[in-house]
Amino acid sequence: YNKRMKTIPVTSGTAGVALWAGLILLLKFPPDWVNLASSPVLLILASSLYSLVLPLRISLLFSGLAVLMFNYEMVPPQNTLHVDLHEHGMLLVTMMVVSALMTYLLRRQKQLASLERQHAQRMMQLMQWSETLRESDDPQLLLPQLHQLVFQQAGGACRIVLGFQKPEYPEREMLGMVQQEGFAACLKENRPLGCNTGRYDNLEDLYLPMRGKFRAYGACLCIGPGALEAADGWVSHAQALLDQMGLACERRENLLRMQSERESAHNQKTRSLFLTSIAHDQRTPLASIMTCASAIVEQGGRLEADQVRQHAELIYAEAGQALRLTDNTLTLARLSGEGVSVPMQEESAEDIVSAVLQRLRQRNAAQLPDVKVEPGLPLLECNIMLVEQVIDNLLDNAARHSGAASTVQLQVSREGETVCFEVSDQGRGFDVAATGDVGSAVSGDRARGLGIGLQLCRAVAAVHNGSLQISSREPSGSRILFCLPLRPPRS
């Protein structure tokens, strides 16, 4: 409420005065059915009606005048305020008391009903505002809507300025030094300040915080004489609206903190698994190299030439494997960075497979896989070095775990708008459930994994907007499908 809200509407006030005037005219010029017996009932009925639309004091005044008019016109001797009979005096006193009591009770009941409606409306508004804040991803974006709600509660009797760390809305509002300091003090103390708050009552304006559980997330500045009318109830409701905003900001801050902590924990876990995978993949070839080198150093004089050659060949092969693992790690680290741009050009699937087979021959592979390439495949827009590295990893892993290179098959075919490189073998299958995290797919007695190589394949597929699918029939073989779109989107 404010003064304008207390003012009786013109139409209602006019109707009340007209009703009272009609009653006076009826007493002044009574028809046949208006007499000393019926007019008291008519007077009480009329006073009950105009008391519903007129202020209490005016209603009591009109009721007293109506009783005096009744005495003047109806009570003998007429046209005088003198009363001859004792019962007539009792009648006038009773009418005065009943009329005043009815006027007071009806007016009070109307006020209580109005307060109940107001409380219900405010409760509904709080529920709707709470629901709006709950559905918002960022409650701070609702600052203009909060400004409108508080301004409506003040009834326009004062200017409203809102902000979080500083006054922000409306932007055009210019504040003085005292108002800015009061705003900062309200944020710091997390308590209402200013007139009628018990703190800094000498301030001309009212400061209300957006209270969270532990601190204020913003403040509201009420500028103008309407801020002095805190007793009318609008300030307490405005504070409830502001507290809803403060709690919503606190919930969002806690949610962001939890997400950050969760992401940090996940990144730490991923980093640990990544390092574990690197150590695991590098340890096997390095152990073989150290074993062969130690044998040559310690038993070089007793070893035959063929044995030394075998050790040297094993050292060469394991060193090549360690080099490939290092290349995979470096490539994966490069692809995992932000804003990665990979150059692509049109390449044929036949050239990619031919380059991979040539690399296998250079490593003195005892047997090459069985290769089938569908004729007439369209050109692929890709980075040929990355794709070759993926296929080389898949074939090398299949050959090492299948027991015989001849059981490894590479089939290239078109499926819809993609070209798929399918590598299958008859070796130990993958533990498919364990290949979801970096380093989880490790070698063992029951399952095998690609470690860094698997993550590299997934990263290359993601860069090309492709896919990597693993199916396994553990322990009787596995099937890996590396698919690339014909026209991947450019980065």
Side-chain angles (χ1 to χ4, degrees), residues 248-291:
C249 292
E250 186 173 61
R251 286 195 300 269
R252 182 173 185 271
E253 184 180 78
N254 293 336
L255 178 62
L256 292 177
R257 185 184 299 111
M258 290 176 57
Q259 291 177 347
S260 177
E261 293 175 353
R262 191 181 299 113
E263 290 176 359
S264 178
H266 180 268
N267 291 337
Q268 182 63 35
K269 180 181 178 181
T270 301
R271 190 180 299 109
S272 299
L273 292 174
F274 185 77
L275 294 175
T276 301
S277 181
I278 293 176
H280 179 273
D281 287 346
Q282 294 282 7
R283 182 170 53 191
T284 300
L286 290 178
S288 299
I289 292 173
M290 290 183 63
T291 300

Side-chain angles (χ1 to χ4, degrees), residues 390-429:
V390 168
I391 299 175
D392 188 10
N393 284 338
L394 297 179
L395 290 175
D396 179 72
N397 185 81
R400 285 190 290 109
H401 292 277
S402 64
S406 59
T407 63
V408 178
Q409 294 183 346
L410 171 61
Q411 184 172 350
V412 186
S413 60
R414 177 173 180 174
E415 295 186 8
E417 294 299 317
T418 63
V419 173
C420 295
F421 299 82
E422 178 184 341
V423 178
S424 58
D425 61 68
Q426 301 299 320
R428 297 195 305 273

Side-chain angles (χ1 to χ4, degrees), residues 21 23 27 44 74 78 129 133 168 180 190 195 214 234 246 278 280 308 353 365 379 393 414 418 420 484:
L23 174 64
L27 294 175
I44 293 175
M74 294 292 177
Q78 296 180 345
W129 176 234
L133 290 172
E168 302 175 24
Q180 294 180 9
N190 194 21
C195 53
F214 301 106
W234 75 265
I278 293 176
H280 179 273
V308 174
V353 173
L379 295 177
N393 284 338
R414 177 173 180 174
T418 63
C420 295
L484 297 176

Side-chain angles (χ1 to χ4, degrees), residues 82-107:
H82 181 70
V83 178
D84 291 338
L85 299 179
H86 178 71
E87 58 267 20
H88 289 167
M90 291 298 297
L91 174 62
L92 289 176
V93 173
T94 302
M95 287 180 58
M96 184 67 74
V97 173
V98 171
S99 178
L101 185 60
M102 289 292 295
T103 298
Y104 174 79
L105 292 177
L106 288 175
R107 191 64 190 175

Side-chain angles (χ1 to χ4, degrees), residues 217-245:
Y217 288 82
C220 171
L221 171 57
C222 306
I223 307 172
L228 297 173
E229 301 176 6
D232 291 334
W234 75 265
V235 173
S236 60
H237 183 62
Q239 182 65 72
L241 293 171
L242 295 168
D243 290 345
Q244 292 275 11
M245 171 63 83

Side-chain angles (χ1 to χ4, degrees), residues 241-455:
L241 293 171
L242 295 168
D243 290 345
Q244 292 275 11
M245 171 63 83
L247 292 174
C249 292
E250 186 173 61
R251 286 195 300 269
R252 182 173 185 271
E253 184 180 78
N254 293 336
L255 178 62
L256 292 177
R257 185 184 299 111
M258 290 176 57
Q259 291 177 347
S260 177
E261 293 175 353
R262 191 181 299 113
E263 290 176 359
S264 178
H266 180 268
N267 291 337
Q268 182 63 35
K269 180 181 178 181
T270 301
R271 190 180 299 109
S272 299
L273 292 174
F274 185 77
L275 294 175
T276 301
S277 181
I278 293 176
H280 179 273
D281 287 346
Q282 294 282 7
R283 182 170 53 191
T284 300
L286 290 178
S288 299
I289 292 173
M290 290 183 63
T291 300
C292 294
S294 176
I296 293 175
V297 170
E298 296 176 359
Q299 304 177 17
R302 297 191 299 272
L303 294 177
E304 298 179 358
D306 291 341
Q307 292 177 324
V308 174
R309 180 179 179 81
Q310 290 177 359
H311 287 314
E313 290 177 350
L314 183 58
I315 291 174
Y316 178 79
E318 294 298 334
Q321 178 66 15
L323 180 60
R324 287 193 296 276
L325 291 173
T326 302
D327 291 340
N328 289 343
T329 303
L330 294 175
T331 303
L332 179 59
R334 180 168 63 88
L335 294 178
S336 300
E338 296 183 359
V340 177
S341 178
V342 177
M344 299 186 184
Q345 59 184 9
E346 291 186 344
E347 305 287 350
S348 68
E350 292 85 355
D351 292 343
I352 295 174
V353 173
S354 177
V356 173
L357 294 179
Q358 181 64 28
R359 188 179 301 173
L360 291 176
R361 292 190 186 95
Q362 291 176 356
R363 294 205 297 264
N364 297 322
Q367 297 181 9
L368 297 178
D370 183 17
V371 179
K372 296 180 182 179
V373 180
E374 180 181 323
L377 291 176
L379 295 177
L380 286 171
E381 190 173 359
C382 63
N383 185 288
I384 188 171
M385 295 184 62
L386 293 178
V387 175
E388 288 178 1
Q389 194 171 358
V390 168
I391 299 175
D392 188 10
N393 284 338
L394 297 179
L395 290 175
D396 179 72
N397 185 81
R400 285 190 290 109
H401 292 277
S402 64
S406 59
T407 63
V408 178
Q409 294 183 346
L410 171 61
Q411 184 172 350
V412 186
S413 60
R414 177 173 180 174
E415 295 186 8
E417 294 299 317
T418 63
V419 173
C420 295
F421 299 82
E422 178 184 341
V423 178
S424 58
D425 61 68
Q426 301 299 320
R428 297 195 305 273
F430 283 100
D431 184 2
V432 179
T435 59
D437 296 326
V438 175
S440 294
V442 296
S443 301
D445 295 333
R446 298 181 54 225
R448 79 165 196 249
L450 291 174
I452 295 300
L454 175 61
Q455 301 309 313

Side-chain angles (χ1 to χ4, degrees), residues 103-168:
T103 298
Y104 174 79
L105 292 177
L106 288 175
R107 191 64 190 175
R108 182 59 179 168
Q109 186 63 31
K110 183 180 179 181
Q111 291 177 349
L112 293 176
S114 178
L115 287 176
E116 288 295 331
R117 287 194 301 269
Q118 184 185 69
H119 290 162
Q121 292 173 355
R122 288 178 173 178
M123 183 62 68
M124 182 61 66
Q125 187 180 60
L126 280 175
M127 293 175 60
Q128 293 174 349
W129 176 234
S130 176
E131 188 67 24
T132 301
L133 290 172
R134 188 178 296 108
E135 294 176 354
S136 175
D137 295 331
D138 187 357
Q140 294 188 1
L141 298 178
L142 301 177
L143 191 63
Q145 187 173 344
L146 177 60
H147 179 274
Q148 183 66 22
L149 291 174
V150 177
F151 185 78
Q152 289 176 356
Q153 292 304 312
C158 58
R159 305 199 312 275
I160 304 298
V161 180
L162 295 176
F164 293 102
Q165 298 306 315
K166 61 181 181 179
E168 302 175 24

